[in-house]
Amino acid sequence: MRPPTLKITPEEYKDLSTKLTPKPTVLKNCIWAFFVGGLICAIGQVIINLFVAGGLNQTQASTAATALLIFLGALLTGLGVYDEIGKYAGAGSIVPVTGFANSIVSPALEFKREGYVMGVGARLFTVAGPVLVYGIATSIVVGIIYYFLH
């Protein structure tokens, strides 16, 4: 025996959906994004300062800190921690370089069961591929312009 169907008008449906839709918390989300993104960047600056204190020059320290932050972002993604941070931080966890590491590692982990070549290898560059292609193409164009201007 089928349960009776409820008939509601489009206006009633609209009123109900408006009432039950969660209210956006834009201000709270912006504050969280600002503080978490700032915290990630502050940690990066502390790492740079530690590398400089260890004897590296500013350029070497910045490069080493970037590599370390990418590693930490990938590691925290693999451990499932970075996604939890992202739930609260939103764009604050996406914008720094750690967010780029997260966007590369996440699809690779998701498709791991499809194998290392067709799963991890193919999905690893889902996000990174276009970024790398654009970056390489832009660097070639800038290099050509620089060559002709100097």
Side-chain angles (χ1 to χ4, degrees):
M1 182 162 201
R2 289 179 39 187
T5 58
L6 231 47
K7 299 276 186 176
I8 62 172
T9 66
E11 293 82 19
E12 291 174 328
Y13 177 79
K14 183 178 178 184
D15 290 341
L16 185 62
S17 66
T18 304
K19 191 185 311 179
L20 295 177
T21 301
K23 304 295 180 237
T25 54
V26 176
L27 182 63
K28 183 179 103 175
N29 292 346
C30 288
I31 291 170
W32 268 107
F34 176 80
F35 281 113
V36 173
L39 180 64
I40 292 170
C41 293
I43 290 169
Q45 187 61 52
V46 168
I47 293 170
I48 290 171
N49 293 348
L50 290 173
F51 282 139
V52 169
L56 296 178
N57 67 36
Q58 187 67 33
T59 303
Q60 294 169 333
S62 296
T63 304
T66 301
L68 182 60
L69 285 171
I70 290 170
F71 170 76
L72 290 174
L75 178 67
L76 292 175
T77 298
L79 296 174
V81 174
Y82 206 85
D83 294 333
E84 292 299 317
I85 294 170
K87 285 180 184 177
Y88 297 102
S93 67
I94 296 171
V95 173
V97 71
T98 52
F100 183 67
N102 174 265
S103 67
I104 292 173
V105 173
S106 291
L109 290 174
E110 185 177 339
F111 293 96
K112 186 175 130 182
R113 64 183 164 323
E114 292 183 22
Y116 287 111
V117 174
M118 296 308 291
V120 175
R123 301 297 180 169
L124 188 64
F125 295 106
T126 302
V127 173
V131 172
L132 293 173
V133 169
Y134 177 76
I136 292 167
T138 303
S139 67
I140 290 170
V141 170
V142 169
I144 291 170
I145 293 170
Y146 182 79
Y147 176 77
F148 286 115
L149 291 179
H150 286 75

